[in-house]
Amino acid sequence: MKILISTDIEGVAGVTHVEQTRNGNPEYERARAWMTDEANAAIRGAFAGGATEVIVNDSHGGFRNLLLDRLDPRAQTITGKPRYLGMMAGVEQDCDAVYLIGYHARSQSTGVLAHTINSFAFRSVRVNGAELGEAGLYGALAGEFGVPVALMSGDDVFLAETAPTFPGAIGVETKRAYGNTVCTSLAPSRACALIEEAARAALPHVRDLQPYAIHGPLECELTTQTPGQADLFCQWPDMQRVDGSTLCFSAESMRSLVRKLNCLSAMSFMLR
């Protein structure tokens, strides 16, 4: 059985401030080590549960965060960008299930460092009327490949938001959110122990899970943080302006929809 582990950083135990998520400062270096430790815990648990192959997708920021020389050598790693499938790259390689490790709540929620894809540019993302965060968007992308989400870890707000989307998936709470940059966190070692056990326990039940699917045609409504960002995004010919900060577009699949969102995210750097 092949498992894909998609690793973000905002939901990792101990991470509570944006400085811990951005390259160029000592706090980031410590946080990326904690991120690597949680990935290793998921790898160990997956193999203990019977996995025959594990792929780890480095899914935060520039997708170059994991300390590869500290990663369990039994796993393969997807690192660097751009990628067509973004945080879910690797799911196309005949995977049986996805583990979401270190994920966070969607934009405008009360979760720690909550955002959706790009905190500078995106205020909300709705697909066929349902507001989705990164877990929902990429979980639906995995669903197009027939792959279910079996495990997810992050803060309590993320788990409460995401659990209805992935019934049967195991959730590991690494911290409790008390604001955007405030939490009560488990010790990193305790979080790793819980993730390892959950990763082991999830594997025998993978065949019982249903992939999360959003059936087309797909309509995406994107609300930007400012009207200027909507001005920029609507330079793309098939974007339709709804109001000052809202635009919409159609997509034939989640693969196409996610690629468009990631292209818009990249465009937004023109306005930084």
Side-chain angles (χ1 to χ4, degrees), residues 50-127:
T52 56
E53 190 172 349
V54 173
I55 303 172
V56 180
N57 179 327
D58 188 329
S59 297
H60 172 69
F63 296 171
R64 294 183 293 117
N65 308 277
L66 294 171
L67 299 171
L68 301 189
D69 58 346
R70 287 181 44 177
L71 208 63
D72 190 315
R74 293 174 294 177
Q76 299 179 70
T77 310
I78 300 173
T79 183
K81 68 189 317 182
R83 315 171 186 159
Y84 288 161
L85 300 181
M87 299 174 77
M88 206 48 62
V91 74
E92 77 282 9
Q93 299 181 33
D94 297 321
C95 291
D96 295 287
V98 175
Y99 291 175
L100 307 178
I101 303 299
Y103 269 60
H104 52 82
R106 65 176 177 246
S107 177
Q108 304 304 306
S109 77
T110 58
V112 173
L113 299 174
H115 67 279
T116 302
I117 299 179
N118 184 325
S119 59
F120 169 73
F122 297 171
R123 185 174 178 86
S124 69
V125 177
R126 294 182 178 274
V127 180

Side-chain angles (χ1 to χ4, degrees), residues 23-34:
N23 192 12
N25 63 81
E27 288 199 62
Y28 166 74
E29 295 302 326
R30 179 164 292 182
R32 71 191 296 207
W34 295 338

Side-chain angles (χ1 to χ4, degrees), residues 244-266:
S245 297
T246 307
L247 55 92
C248 64
F249 62 88
S250 301
E252 66 274 13
S253 66
M254 284 302 299
R255 278 169 278 187
S256 176
L257 188 148
V258 165
R259 285 177 67 176
K260 287 186 177 182
L261 288 174
N262 286 330
C263 286
L264 295 175
S265 177

Side-chain angles (χ1 to χ4, degrees), residues 125-199:
V125 177
R126 294 182 178 274
V127 180
N128 288 1
E131 185 170 2
L132 298 176
E134 291 170 21
L137 290 166
Y138 282 101
L141 178 55
E144 285 192 343
F145 290 88
V147 181
V149 172
L151 170 66
M152 48 199 180
S153 72
D155 70 25
D156 59 316
V157 177
F158 163 70
L159 293 178
E161 167 192 306
T162 311
T165 305
F166 307 121
I170 297 176
V172 176
E173 183 181 300
T174 59
K175 53 196 172 190
R176 296 192 67 81
Y178 292 97
N180 186 254
T181 57
V182 184
C183 72
T184 299
S185 177
L186 298 179
S189 59
R190 176 59 177 160
C192 287
L194 293 176
I195 289 170
E196 181 173 351
E197 173 54 28

